[in-house]
Amino acid sequence: MAAVLKKRALAEYSQVIQEQPVKPFKKLRLVKKKWSDTSAASVLIGLLEKQRSSNEAFQLLLRISDTPHLAEEDVAVAVKKLVEYYQQQTESFVKIKILSIFGDIGSEQGADIQNIIDDTLMLLKRETSHHVRAQGLATLLRLCKLMPDNIATHHKLILLAKQYLNDTSHLVKQKALDVLGELLPVGQQTEASLQTTVRLISDYAQSQDARVRSTAFNTLIVLHGRGLKLQASLYDETCEALK
């Protein structure tokens, strides 16, 4: 019996115990997050104040307009910085580009379109450049079309367009006529008020400038397409203007 126990103990002692191999820990690779396009746009806008000339600023603005989208949380700050930079500028081509970018920003998620419109209207109050005024109207029209039910804001732009019809520049007149064609509330004004505005537009169909005449004709066509019934007398006047 003792011999059996001794033999068993010896066998257990000499037995090789194989442990399960320990799996190595999985290494985590930390990758530094790169700037996204949206972040890049915010960074570029922040660099405007460091530009030493209007030409450098314009080149940077071109890069901003080519950079798609702003981060939603950066939109309000970006608009504020652009407004402040606009107010510091004297060169029309820089102002025009900033106003154009306002139209792009208005399409961004989280953009306060009404605020951008109000800022643009404020900037145009003291503006004397014909080209800047024209771009301002184009930007405002683009933004207002993003708010189709905001009648009060549309009315503000219609009043501004009528005011700008007195501008000496054909370009400003054309943009003002475009605004009237797109935003005039067809069916929501009294007949007398509506016909007064239509008469105002048709007067510019007699303009000595062919570009203004062409835009006035197109404005009447746009209004007709939106449901406005034009008086038959306008047909004869249009034919006469084409002679």
Side-chain angles (χ1 to χ4, degrees):
M1 184 66 179
V4 174
L5 293 174
K6 183 178 180 180
K7 186 177 181 181
R8 181 182 297 174
L10 183 61
E12 291 178 355
Y13 180 80
S14 60
Q15 184 179 7
V16 178
I17 300 176
Q18 296 182 348
E19 296 182 355
Q20 293 293 329
V22 179
K23 294 182 179 180
F25 291 104
K26 186 176 181 180
K27 295 182 179 180
L28 297 178
R29 185 181 179 185
L30 299 178
V31 180
K32 185 178 180 181
K33 186 177 180 181
K34 298 180 179 179
W35 285 110
S36 63
D37 287 335
T38 54
S39 298
S42 301
V43 171
L44 291 174
I45 291 174
L47 293 175
L48 276 173
E49 295 181 354
K50 298 182 180 180
Q51 304 310 300
R52 293 172 295 181
S53 68
S54 297
N55 287 329
E56 288 184 2
F58 183 72
Q59 293 301 319
L60 186 59
L61 288 168
L62 289 176
R63 292 177 61 190
I64 293 171
S65 63
D66 290 338
T67 303
H69 308 303
L70 278 165
E72 184 174 349
E73 62 273 15
D74 294 335
V75 172
V77 176
V79 172
K80 182 180 179 181
K81 288 184 177 181
L82 287 170
V83 169
E84 292 173 350
Y85 194 73
Y86 179 103
Q87 293 172 321
Q88 300 170 10
Q89 294 305 302
T90 57
E91 296 290 350
S92 295
F93 63 91
V94 175
K95 293 181 177 181
I96 289 171
K97 193 58 186 175
I98 292 175
L99 291 175
S100 176
I101 292 174
F102 281 164
D104 297 333
I105 294 178
S107 301
E108 298 285 355
Q109 184 175 358
D112 187 340
I113 301 174
Q114 184 62 60
N115 182 62
I116 300 175
I117 290 175
D118 291 341
D119 284 338
T120 304
L121 288 171
M122 179 269 295
L123 294 174
L124 289 178
K125 282 184 178 180
R126 299 182 180 180
E127 190 55 62
T128 58
S129 167
H130 301 306
H131 287 83
V132 176
R133 285 181 171 183
Q135 179 59 57
L137 286 173
T139 295
L140 288 168
L141 177 57
R142 181 179 177 186
L143 293 171
C144 280
K145 291 173 74 173
L146 296 174
M147 304 173 66
D149 299 325
N150 194 328
I151 304 302
T153 300
H154 289 194
H155 182 66
K156 288 182 181 179
L157 186 49
I158 288 171
L159 292 178
L160 180 64
K162 290 180 178 180
Q163 174 187 334
Y164 277 177
L165 281 175
N166 296 319
D167 195 286
T168 57
S169 168
H170 71 86
L171 191 58
V172 178
K173 286 186 173 73
Q174 287 177 276
K175 294 300 180 182
L177 288 167
D178 287 340
V179 168
L180 294 178
E182 294 286 349
L183 298 185
L184 196 65
V186 176
Q188 299 180 20
Q189 285 187 319
T190 62
E191 184 67 20
S193 176
L194 191 58
Q195 291 304 321
T196 298
T197 305
V198 172
R199 171 52 58 186
L200 176 64
I201 296 170
S202 62
D203 286 344
Y204 284 91
Q206 312 296 326
S207 172
Q208 294 181 349
D209 192 311
R211 293 163 294 191
V212 176
R213 291 201 304 273
S214 176
T215 305
F217 290 146
N218 186 69
T219 299
L220 292 172
I221 293 172
V222 170
L223 288 171
H224 180 67
R226 293 178 55 211
L228 176 64
K229 293 182 179 180
L230 300 177
Q231 295 181 354
S233 59
L234 288 176
Y235 177 80
D236 294 332
E237 294 178 13
T238 302
C239 291
E240 184 66 25
L242 292 174
K243 292 182 180 180

